[in-house]
Amino acid sequence: MLCLPFQTAVAQDPGRSNRILILHDSTDLGMWRDQFDAAFRDFIAANSSPENPLRVSVQYSAMNLYTDQEPLSLINMLQEQHRIDPASLIVAVLPNSIAFMEQYGDQIYPDVPRVYAVPDRAQSAQILSDGSSVVLNSLNADVPVSNTLRLIRQMMPDLETLYIFSGNDNYGPFQRRQVASSVDEVLPDVDITYLTGLPIRELVPALGDPQERAAAYLLSYEVDSEGNMFTTLDVLSELKNKTEIPIFGSFDSLFGQGIVGGNMEFATTRGTEAANAALNLIEGIDIAVPQSAAQNIFDARELERYNFDRSLLPPDAVVEFESFSLWDEYRSQLIAAAVLVGIQTLLIALLLLTLRTRRAAERKSAQHMQELGIQKNLFESVINSIPDAILITDEDRTIYAANKSSRDVFGLASEELIGKPMMELIEFRDDLEREAEHAMFYFNETRPAPIILQFIKADGTRFSGETIGTKIISSAGEVLGYFSLVRDVTQRLLAEEQQQQGQKMEALGNLVGGIAHDFNNVLGVITAYAEINSLTETSPQSKSNLKKIVSATRRGAELCHQILTFSKDMSVEQRAIELAEVVEETFELLRASVPSRIKLRMDRQGGSFPVLANSTQIQQVILNLATNASHAIGEKEEGFIEIGLRQEQIRERIFLSEGIVEPGNYVVLRVADNGCGIPAGEIDQVFEPFYTTRSGDGTGIGLAIVYKIVRAHDGVLNLRSKSGVGTEFEIYLNVYSGVATGEETESGEELICGSGENILLVDDEEELVESLSQLLSNIGYSVKSFTSSTKALDYFKNHPDAVDLLVSDQVMPGLEGTSLLQSIREIRADLPAIICTGHSELLEGKMEATVKIDSVLRKPFTASEFSRNIGNILATRH
């Protein structure tokens, strides 16, 4: 890493945490980026000052999707984000993101220092020549590419054909150019075939007939020629499972997923280096981070699969996946088991041979019996000390011994397991799993590798178990039986899945949160003009229509608020409600929106369904699920959507598709349809942000919002679907033990008129200022309005006694609302004030801190709310 030193530290505000923004070049939430971000966050958390802690946020620029056109929407979004929550330092990762910052960084983040992580050679030279005060990671991104090509030549001296797989995103072609710049020098006699942007279904057919002297090199593959988005791991999985061609790569995030190996840069190393540089830059320390090199790393399983000669590996090569992971976790027990592994065959062989001998003849002596008992006790004590289930079976896989931990794993005592066929404890999901389990015992002549299967407990519940097994062989080479170890990893897998889902939710929140503020102002203008017209309208029909417009904008405001809260943690106000009332109201709304050919059914089992929830969010959940169901049914004849309610008492913990339900009483909300269903290969992706199977009209956020709302209500989702049959969603919510209430009725809509009081109105939205000025004038107030907070302050300085009330927006260029009020209070301390905002959380802590706010109005507000607030405040001042 080369550095251009800063002379002074980045200024830190003691009143707030400094924010470091990591800018990625892609919307793909791949493992490399996750590992980079995690290492960066860990280093900052461990090394930043407790007095001035640093915040780390992540933004995806989506530069892999932009063409040569200027990405105005992205620039505007980042500028707005920086205005609301300024960044103290920018970390741009990989060439596309770095190029974006070089072109637009001064426009978006003026005077904000930057750290560039993993640029290419040309960018490194350009940035150094500019002489900008930036920290530069100058490790060339094309070094691992050329080194990996050399490794392929070294590992496959007789190579004839090399397939280069890459996507249509910006980074794929960039890597492809890196390959092209090196391949003639490294592989001059090899036929190079570039396969670019192929849809996943066309990858394998493009290879043609299998070739013995062929290999593949997998580059970044996030977008195909049809615009479909996926991860590079998806492409790797397709090639690995359906071809017998060795695959090489340069991303450590692909390692362990099916590639043979390559010269790899480690994302964790890159993240730690970038974090160290950022921290030193903020603290004003000259940066001198040693340049770390990529590593030659190989997967032992893939080397064995393709029979590679290990003598051809580079001397510094690292080979992983040689040993079973249980060794590291249970080293102390398995050291003893090392003796057992040696003794095990001899001991069990001795036991079995002794048992067979005893069937044919009398025991030879009492002394032999005593020695045999001692050996048996030793064997059992070692086996029972291991917390995982250990099962020993005979030649036909019938259990004849089990350790004590088997009760915890399977719910059956060891004596209950004895005599059971081992296959009754396993539920194979497909033939591949059955073959893998069979091969572990019958074909593996080397050290076995663990696999994960579905096992069955005594009560019929299923759990994910990591298992490893081996043959028990006598000294004469006779197979006496089989040894199996099973560990319950259900909760570990669930925790990993929930962590990934949480990261996806965070990315979606960062995207949608930036839109809501401006939308609130638009709704405010619509509301104001509708209510102004209703003051003079005499026609009952027109008045009714205007009232419906106001009601619709109110619903839009609530949805806008849901979007804002979704960009954080979805934790809005919840209260005791009767869920049946919300479901019935939503059911009536669906009658108007669902096509008439689709039958709507209500299945209510019981009379009362009290829960603690937010009724608007629950209604949004039902509408989203019903909309998905309607699209799934399509033009199908005799389609139906059924909404059900029931109470259910859970007596023992149950595992659902999206979480765990603990024992207790639950209200279960069910939405089912008989549509096209969800293919088995897509069920795990339906709650991912932006994932959709509807080309053209699908947004991919409907089910993501459903997932986040349910989690915010401490609920659990269960999804069941079968392709061609239908889909069923069940939502488990805790029963509320108190008294549920109905929906709150709206307060009166009467307007409180003024008596000529002077109001200073400030908002940077010109149309909103115009509409609110007209409304205030119509109800008896004198208004002085400004779209600039600084001009409003200048006016007040010259006319401090001509204003009775300040009404100001909070988020404005220049002075924000609270800052304007503080400046005014320095001139006139008793002036009352109302602050309007679409981001009420921005005012948290300011109500009683530096300046007192008389009232906060959340945008958009109705004329009655506006007039009541003004009237109440002015009344207390007279």
Side-chain angles (χ1 to χ4, degrees):
M1 175 179 287
L2 300 178
C3 311
L4 299 178
F6 269 72
Q7 300 302 319
T8 59
V10 178
Q12 297 194 52
D13 181 1
R16 61 175 296 174
S17 297
N18 279 274
R19 182 168 76 102
I20 299 176
L21 172 62
I22 300 176
L23 186 64
H24 284 299
D25 64 342
S26 171
T27 56
D28 173 34
L29 301 181
M31 293 175 63
W32 193 96
R33 295 171 181 84
D34 289 346
Q35 293 167 357
F36 179 98
D37 294 346
F40 191 101
R41 292 180 190 271
D42 290 345
F43 187 94
I44 293 297
N47 294 280
S48 63
S49 169
E51 292 76 20
N52 290 296
L54 300 173
R55 293 182 295 126
V56 179
S57 63
V58 178
Q59 180 68 52
Y60 293 90
S61 68
M63 288 307 296
N64 63 327
L65 301 179
Y66 285 99
T67 61
D68 294 334
Q69 299 176 354
E70 185 178 15
L72 292 177
S73 60
L74 175 61
I75 294 172
N76 293 336
M77 185 191 76
L78 293 177
Q79 286 176 326
E80 178 68 10
Q81 182 188 71
H82 183 60
R83 183 178 67 82
I84 295 174
D85 189 9
S88 300
L89 186 140
I90 311 298
V91 180
V93 185
L94 297 178
N96 289 331
S97 182
I98 293 171
F100 174 81
M101 282 300 301
E102 277 291 275
Q103 186 169 1
Y104 304 109
D106 292 339
Q107 176 183 350
I108 303 171
Y109 304 105
D111 301 323
V112 177
R114 310 164 200 161
V115 173
Y116 290 141
V118 197
D120 65 32
R121 190 190 308 274
Q123 287 178 325
S124 299
Q126 178 63 38
I127 297 169
L128 286 170
S129 66
D130 287 345
S132 305
S133 294
V134 296
V135 179
L136 172 64
N137 180 347
S138 66
L139 190 65
N140 293 318
D142 54 351
V143 171
V145 173
S146 59
N147 285 347
T148 299
L149 290 172
R150 291 184 175 88
L151 284 175
I152 296 173
R153 163 58 78 196
Q154 185 172 339
M155 295 293 295
M156 301 181 68
D158 57 348
L159 180 69
E160 293 180 354
T161 304
L162 179 64
Y163 297 95
I164 310 295
F165 289 89
S166 61
N168 268 11
D169 53 287
N170 286 349
Y171 199 55
F174 165 74
Q175 285 192 307
R176 194 166 62 252
R177 290 193 297 271
Q178 291 177 327
V179 172
S181 67
S182 302
V183 73
D184 290 338
E185 175 187 352
V186 179
L187 303 172
D189 56 343
V190 176
D191 181 21
I192 307 299
T193 300
Y194 293 93
L195 299 175
T196 304
L198 293 178
I200 286 184
R201 64 181 181 276
E202 296 178 14
L203 292 173
V204 175
L207 293 173
D209 295 331
Q211 303 175 44
E212 293 184 357
R213 297 186 176 88
Y217 187 8
L218 181 56
L219 308 177
S220 176
Y221 213 121
E222 299 171 356
V223 180
D224 64 17
S225 58
E226 297 176 353
N228 298 314
M229 296 182 63
F230 36 78
T231 68
T232 309
L233 285 176
D234 296 328
V235 179
L236 176 59
S237 176
E238 179 74 7
L239 293 174
K240 174 188 174 184
N241 294 333
K242 297 184 179 180
T243 69
E244 286 297 324
I245 185 172
I247 306 168
F248 293 81
S250 300
F251 293 109
D252 66 307
S253 56
L254 299 178
F255 186 68
Q257 306 294 326
I259 66 169
V260 175
N263 185 249
M264 300 180 187
E265 291 193 27
F266 285 82
T268 53
T269 302
R270 295 291 163 260
T272 301
E273 289 176 352
N276 188 26
L279 189 61
N280 290 341
L281 177 58
I282 287 176
E283 295 177 353
I285 301 173
D286 288 346
I287 306 161
V289 180
Q291 176 173 315
S292 59
Q295 188 175 18
N296 296 322
I297 186 167
F298 295 88
D299 189 330
R301 299 167 300 186
E302 300 303 317
L303 291 174
E304 292 176 3
R305 176 182 177 183
Y306 297 107
N307 297 317
F308 278 111
D309 184 354
R310 295 201 181 194
S311 66
L312 299 177
L313 295 177
D316 62 345
V318 175
V319 180
E320 294 193 359
F321 302 109
E322 293 275 24
S323 62
F324 178 45
S325 62
L326 288 177
W327 168 256
D328 292 329
E329 277 196 47
Y330 298 111
R331 185 180 298 270
S332 59
Q333 289 98 331
L334 293 179
I335 286 176
V339 178
L340 174 64
V341 170
I343 294 176
Q344 178 184 344
T345 302
L346 178 62
L347 181 60
I348 297 176
L350 180 61
L351 285 172
L352 291 174
L353 289 173
T354 302
L355 289 173
R356 291 177 180 177
T357 303
R358 287 172 57 191
R359 295 189 187 104
E362 295 290 336
R363 296 182 180 90
K364 291 185 178 181
S365 67
Q367 182 181 2
H368 178 70
M369 186 68 178
Q370 184 179 7
E371 291 176 354
L372 186 62
I374 293 173
Q375 293 175 347
K376 181 176 181 292
N377 290 336
L378 175 62
F379 170 74
E380 290 178 349
S381 64
V382 174
I383 290 295
N384 287 328
S385 69
I386 297 177
D388 299 316
I390 292 180
L391 306 173
I392 299 175
T393 63
D394 56 21
E395 299 93 326
D396 63 358
R397 304 294 303 280
T398 299
I399 299 170
Y400 71 82
N403 68 342
K404 292 181 179 180
S405 298
S406 299
R407 175 189 288 273
D408 299 329
V409 176
F410 289 100
L412 291 171
S414 55
E415 57 270 18
E416 295 176 298
L417 285 167
I418 294 174
K420 279 186 171 292
M422 185 69 184
M423 294 299 100
E424 289 187 3
L425 302 179
I426 307 175
E427 184 179 79
F428 295 105
R429 288 173 289 196
D430 51 42
D431 291 338
L432 290 177
E433 283 193 350
R434 188 182 301 276
E435 292 170 2
E437 198 271 347
H438 184 79
M440 184 167 59
F441 292 101
Y442 295 98
F443 300 113
N444 198 331
E445 300 299 331
T446 60
R447 182 177 300 164
I451 60 176
I452 295 178
L453 301 173
Q454 292 296 303
F455 289 88
I456 306 172
K457 287 182 178 286
D459 59 2
T461 60
R462 273 62 173 167
F463 70 93
S464 296
E466 188 175 40
T467 181
I468 188 171
T470 186
K471 299 174 183 176
I472 301 171
I473 304 175
S474 69
S475 58
E478 179 184 4
V479 177
L480 304 178
Y482 302 95
F483 172 91
S484 296
L485 185 146
V486 180
R487 172 188 294 178
D488 188 344
V489 294
T490 302
Q491 296 206 30
R492 187 190 82 190
L493 297 178
L494 182 62
E496 292 173 355
E497 179 182 351
Q498 290 178 345
Q499 181 184 12
Q500 293 172 358
Q501 190 70 16
Q503 292 168 343
K504 294 167 185 175
M505 292 297 113
E506 179 183 356
L508 178 59
N510 289 337
L511 178 64
V512 302
I515 322 171
H517 174 67
D518 291 338
F519 188 58
N520 271 328
N521 285 334
V522 174
L523 291 175
V525 173
I526 297 173
T527 302
Y529 278 120
E531 293 190 314
I532 289 170
N533 288 338
S534 68
L535 295 176
T536 58
E537 185 59 56
T538 59
S539 167
Q541 181 61 48
S542 297
K543 275 184 170 293
S544 175
N545 292 341
L546 291 170
K547 185 176 180 180
K548 290 177 181 177
I549 292 174
V550 174
S551 177
T553 57
R554 186 176 302 158
R555 174 66 69 181
E558 186 62 32
L559 292 177
C560 187
H561 181 61
Q562 301 291 358
I563 293 174
L564 283 170
T565 55
F566 181 81
S567 68
K568 302 168 198 58
D569 61 359
M570 217 69 183
S571 56
V572 297
E573 180 184 0
Q574 298 177 4
R575 60 187 182 86
I577 64 171
E578 173 52 57
L579 186 59
E581 296 180 7
V582 178
V583 172
E584 289 172 357
E585 178 185 348
T586 311
F587 189 80
E588 294 304 318
L589 290 175
L590 289 173
R591 291 186 185 277
S593 59
V594 172
S596 58
R597 68 177 180 279
I598 299 176
K599 294 182 180 179
L600 290 175
R601 302 176 183 172
M602 175 73 77
D603 179 21
R604 177 173 173 178
Q605 302 175 18
S608 178
F609 305 92
V611 295
L612 193 66
N614 180 278
S615 58
T616 301
Q617 286 190 339
I618 295 298
Q619 186 176 82
Q620 188 176 359
V621 166
I622 300 172
L623 289 173
N624 283 4
L625 292 178
T627 300
N628 269 22
S630 177
H631 284 287
I633 293 171
E635 301 297 327
K636 181 178 181 178
E637 297 292 335
E638 300 181 355
F640 71 83
I641 300 174
E642 184 172 275
I643 301 176
L645 271 177
R646 70 176 189 274
Q647 280 206 35
E648 185 172 337
Q649 184 180 25
I650 304 300
R651 301 186 182 277
E652 295 183 1
R653 170 187 287 187
I654 59 174
F655 294 86
L656 303 181
S657 66
E658 305 304 319
I660 301 173
V661 176
E662 300 292 345
N665 294 321
Y666 292 86
V667 171
V668 183
L669 171 62
R670 184 174 65 90
V671 178
D673 66 75
N674 65 338
C676 61
I678 304 171
E682 299 178 2
I683 285 183
D684 292 339
Q685 300 173 274
V686 297
F687 295 110
E688 293 183 3
F690 308 118
Y691 179 80
T692 178
T693 57
R694 304 201 308 270
S695 60
D697 63 343
T699 64
I701 66 170
L703 290 181
I705 291 177
V706 168
Y707 181 89
K708 196 164 186 180
I709 290 175
V710 174
R711 290 292 299 274
H713 283 74
D714 295 325
V716 180
L717 265 165
N718 190 38
L719 167 59
R720 288 192 290 264
S721 184
K722 187 173 182 181
S723 185
V725 176
T727 302
E728 178 182 74
F729 291 89
E730 288 183 324
I731 299 168
Y732 286 73
L733 300 173
N734 289 294
V735 171
Y736 179 64
S737 57
V739 179
T741 62
E743 288 293 310
E744 294 182 357
T745 57
E746 296 181 359
S747 57
E749 299 181 358
E750 69 279 358
L751 297 177
I752 299 177
C753 296
S755 302
E757 291 90 343
N758 296 311
I759 296 179
L760 179 59
L761 177 64
V762 188
D763 197 301
D764 60 330
E765 288 288 336
E766 185 174 349
E767 291 184 349
L768 188 58
V769 167
E770 182 180 343
S771 62
L772 291 179
S773 297
Q774 186 175 342
L775 174 63
L776 291 171
S777 298
N778 288 348
I779 61 175
Y781 293 101
S782 176
V783 183
K784 186 66 176 179
S785 60
F786 292 91
T787 56
S788 167
S789 54
T790 54
K791 290 183 180 180
L793 180 59
D794 292 339
Y795 170 80
F796 186 82
K797 289 178 179 178
N798 296 324
H799 307 85
D801 297 322
V803 178
D804 296 312
L805 174 67
L806 170 68
V807 177
S808 174
D809 186 25
Q810 169 63 10
V811 179
M812 295 183 294
L815 289 174
E816 63 179 15
T818 50
S819 299
L820 172 63
L821 177 56
Q822 187 173 17
S823 299
I824 286 177
R825 290 274 174 81
E826 292 174 357
I827 302 171
R828 181 178 161 189
D830 64 338
L831 183 70
I834 297 175
I835 298 297
C836 310
T837 180
H839 293 272
S840 58
E841 72 282 354
L842 295 178
L843 297 176
E844 291 177 1
K846 296 185 179 180
M847 294 290 289
E848 300 294 341
T850 57
V851 60
K852 186 181 185 305
I853 305 171
D854 294 88
S855 178
V856 176
L857 274 177
R858 195 180 79 189
K859 291 183 176 181
F861 42 78
T862 64
S864 59
E865 292 172 334
F866 195 29
S867 67
R868 279 199 306 274
N869 271 265
I870 294 174
N872 292 339
I873 292 173
L874 292 178
T876 60
R877 296 302 178 111
H878 292 320

